[in-house]
Amino acid sequence: MSAVFNFTFVPWFRSVAPYIHLHRGKTFVVGIAGEAIAAGKLPHLAQDLALIQSMGVKIVLVHGFRPQVNEQLAAKGHEAKYSHGMRITDSVALDCAQEAAGQLRYEIEAAFSQGLPNTPMAGSTVRVISGNFITARPVGIVDGVDFKHSGMVRKVDTAGIKRTLDFGAMVLLSPFGFSPTGEAFNLTMEEVATSVAIELQADKLIFLTEIPGIRTSPDQPEGEDNPIDTELPLAAAEKLLASLPNPTQPTDTAFYLQHCVKACKSGVERSHILPFVVDGSLLLEIYVHDGIGTMVIDEKLESLREATADDVGGILQLIEPFEKDGTLVKRDRTEIERDADHYTVIEHDGVIFGCAALYPYPEAKTAEMAALTVSPHSQSQGDGERILKRIEQRARGMGLKSIFVLTTRTMHWFIKRGFAQVDPEWLPEARKRKYNINRKSQVLVKNL
Ligand SMILES: CC(C)(COP(=O)(O)OP(=O)(O)OC[C@H]1O[C@@H](n2cnc3c(N)ncnc32)[C@H](O)[C@@H]1OP(=O)(O)O)[C@@H](O)C(=O)NCCC(=O)NCCS
């Protein structure tokens, strides 16, 4: 084994440790689009899910089957029918759905049963348990269209699912539900996953989809200047959703977003849209700081927000002790009053206990994050990180490529969060002129 390997593997493994601790004992509901299975992604997905489960996460897996049902319909020479963005399930389509679900369950169970030596599944023991956990009701007749055997979730047997999870098994659900009269209804993977996540009050709802996530400008074509928005606060996600047309295709921006928003509004703090084409996307989202894909997050209590002139007193009070001990550069009241709208604050019960300012240098496509502070009483609870994420999002929204900080004592905090040190020469011209040589601050940059 080369020495280089030790130097890369050990820090890498340690950097993952906080996320392993964080997620142990949590419940994740993972919805996998049928397209992912059709694209041959199941073996790697099963390996990743088995690994995540072995690190103490309780997993409910919901599979989709859109392409598989359509394939069965085509084989029978029957046309797939849709209305209002939903499948109309006649008796032939119901047969096809049942056949497709049966086949997929076998495939999924088989994928979790592998354990050949020298493969990632070696030594894994994943019990997969499926069952009649979902009670359904018919969609019925909408605008004169009879949806026949298409249904909606009416009830989720949360006690049954929780017992199965506590028993150490992975719960596997097909998009099917049964009415109290025993009639089967064809549901959608997205609705089942969302309802189960809400009823369980899961810690995460994750969709593995055919889209890479939500772009910062969803109506613009993809490109380097229109990256994936890795974190969407619930309020912003709701606003975006309201501006979008009703989705009809899984590739429409609102398609998965509507379910993420619904879950977040109903108490599931984080919901994710990930691309299944990226190998290991689940691991990258869950165990890496910046993740991949889009996470819709309920920031609880609306405490994280942009500052107003009324917050100036609170900001001054918060940063003053750090100015006195030299951690922060002195700023006077007039300067903060003038720049109040550059600040993001965390407020609780009328008290500001965290802040940071963003000063853009649009000509250099970058911005300085300044005065990042969290009150000593509430440090180490992730607020510093929440402010950083919001600042990154504001900068991305301005079309900037990076943010930078000048720091004398907090380098490691920033480096751990994806910043890298650069020479002060790197600074935009306008900022370089104000650089205080005597303070010898280090310059750290994070690409967005
Ligand atoms: C840096 C600061 C904003 C972090 O806020 P926070 O809410 O405590 O941050 P988080 O909860 O997201 O992260 C806390 C982690 O960072 C670590 N940390 C805090 N200060 C650090 C520093 N100076 N260097 C390295 N790590 C640091 C904590 O030990 C904690 O680690 P743990 O989770 O292993 O216990 C806060 O410590 C602060 O206000 N410091 C004083 C002002 C300052 O230095 N601002 C930066 C100006 S450039």
Side-chain angles (χ1 to χ4, degrees):
M1 200 183 301
S2 81
V4 174
F5 177 78
N6 297 1
F7 283 116
T8 52
F9 174 78
V10 173
W12 166 80
F13 199 46
R14 285 180 183 148
S15 74
V16 176
Y19 296 97
I20 298 177
H21 299 310
L22 182 70
H23 299 316
R24 181 171 303 123
K26 300 282 168 70
T27 304
F28 295 178
V29 176
V30 182
I32 298 184
E35 283 77 0
I37 301 169
K41 303 291 178 190
L42 187 55
H44 282 178
L45 275 173
Q47 287 168 9
D48 293 351
L49 285 165
L51 184 60
I52 295 166
Q53 199 202 29
S54 76
M55 291 189 278
V57 177
K58 297 172 184 174
I59 296 175
V60 178
L61 185 61
V62 187
H63 73 78
F65 57 9
R66 243 182 313 267
Q68 290 82 358
V69 175
N70 289 346
E71 205 176 289
Q72 298 264 4
L73 281 169
K76 289 191 164 74
H78 203 75
E79 196 192 334
K81 294 186 203 101
Y82 295 89
S83 182
H84 300 69
M86 245 182 309
R87 187 189 291 280
I88 300 171
T89 313
D90 56 20
S91 54
V92 181
L94 184 67
D95 275 351
C96 293
Q98 285 172 340
E99 276 170 39
Q103 177 73 31
L104 284 172
R105 273 197 188 184
Y106 283 125
E107 281 180 33
I108 294 170
E109 285 173 13
F112 281 108
S113 305
Q114 293 169 24
L116 286 177
N118 300 327
T119 70
M121 293 293 280
S124 76
T125 42
V126 182
R127 268 310 133 255
V128 179
I129 295 186
S130 313
N132 55 344
F133 295 109
I134 308 286
T135 308
R137 64 175 174 84
V139 170
I141 300 167
V142 181
D143 299 331
V145 180
D146 187 351
F147 282 85
K148 297 180 179 165
H149 302 284
S150 293
M152 316 264 285
V153 176
R154 183 170 143 195
K155 225 166 73 195
V156 176
D157 174 10
T158 39
I161 294 179
K162 279 188 180 157
R163 254 199 313 273
T164 313
L165 292 172
D166 289 342
F167 168 70
M170 186 181 293
V171 172
L172 171 63
L173 299 176
S174 296
F176 263 111
F178 302 92
S179 71
T181 56
E183 203 182 333
F185 285 99
N186 176 19
L187 312 174
T188 67
M189 173 277 278
E190 297 78 20
E191 203 219 343
V192 172
T194 308
S195 305
V196 170
I198 293 171
E199 292 303 319
L200 290 178
Q201 286 292 286
D203 299 282
K204 280 184 190 295
L205 166 65
I206 303 172
F207 288 115
L208 272 160
T209 74
E210 46 283 83
I211 59 169
I214 309 288
R215 298 201 173 272
T216 43
S217 311
D219 48 344
Q220 300 298 319
E222 61 177 274
E224 242 183 52
D225 52 351
N226 189 12
I228 297 299
D229 203 342
T230 52
E231 197 170 314
L232 258 180
L234 178 57
E238 277 189 274
K239 210 167 130 196
L240 170 62
L241 195 57
S243 71
L244 295 168
N246 275 343
T248 53
Q249 302 287 330
T251 43
D252 292 343
T253 307
F255 189 84
Y256 292 103
L257 187 64
Q258 60 186 343
H259 296 286
C260 292
V261 165
K262 184 174 173 199
C264 264
K265 279 172 78 173
S266 310
V268 180
E269 216 172 295
R270 283 144 201 257
S271 34
H272 305 248
I273 302 171
L274 308 183
F276 64 69
V277 288
V278 177
D279 188 25
S281 55
L282 266 174
L283 300 177
L284 288 166
E285 180 74 3
I286 299 173
Y287 296 104
V288 178
H289 178 253
D290 278 332
I292 179 181
T294 296
M295 170 168 74
V296 177
I297 176 168
D298 178 10
E299 278 170 334
K300 294 277 179 253
L301 313 168
E302 287 82 50
S303 61
L304 184 65
R305 57 172 176 80
E306 317 317 351
T308 67
D310 293 339
D311 298 317
V312 173
I315 295 173
L316 274 167
Q317 218 171 7
L318 176 69
I319 61 178
E320 204 177 25
F322 296 105
E323 290 177 346
K324 280 209 173 111
D325 77 3
T327 311
L328 297 179
V329 179
K330 177 99 188 94
R331 286 173 175 80
D332 59 27
R333 177 178 274 272
T334 341
E335 186 187 336
I336 298 180
E337 268 168 2
R338 187 195 61 207
D339 298 339
D341 59 341
H342 292 253
Y343 281 77
T344 293
V345 291
I346 294 192
E347 179 229 283
H348 192 63
D349 287 341
V351 178
I352 306 284
F353 60 93
C355 75
L358 184 71
Y359 289 97
Y361 292 87
E363 69 287 0
K365 289 244 169 244
T366 188
E368 175 175 8
M369 178 172 69
L372 171 68
T373 314
V374 172
S375 154
H377 307 295
S378 43
Q379 286 181 5
S380 287
Q381 293 171 24
D383 288 328
E385 183 140 351
R386 284 171 68 203
I387 300 174
L388 168 64
K389 288 263 181 189
R390 173 59 74 93
I391 290 281
E392 285 176 13
Q393 203 194 354
R394 280 183 88 172
R396 263 192 222 107
M398 295 173 184
L400 304 176
K401 297 267 184 256
S402 62
I403 54 170
F404 67 89
V405 289
L406 269 69
T407 181
T408 51
R409 305 187 193 178
T410 323
M411 300 57 110
H412 289 125
W413 191 89
F414 289 110
I415 287 168
K416 208 171 151 195
R417 283 152 187 86
F419 284 76
Q421 193 178 352
V422 291
D423 193 274
E425 275 303 309
W426 177 94
L427 289 170
E429 276 312 315
R431 184 64 182 86
K432 225 186 302 181
R433 284 197 290 275
K434 287 190 279 174
Y435 181 79
N436 180 345
I437 298 277
N438 298 327
R439 199 169 153 82
K440 294 204 174 59
S441 301
Q442 293 195 346
V443 181
L444 298 161
V445 180
K446 180 170 184 178
N447 291 323
L448 298 174

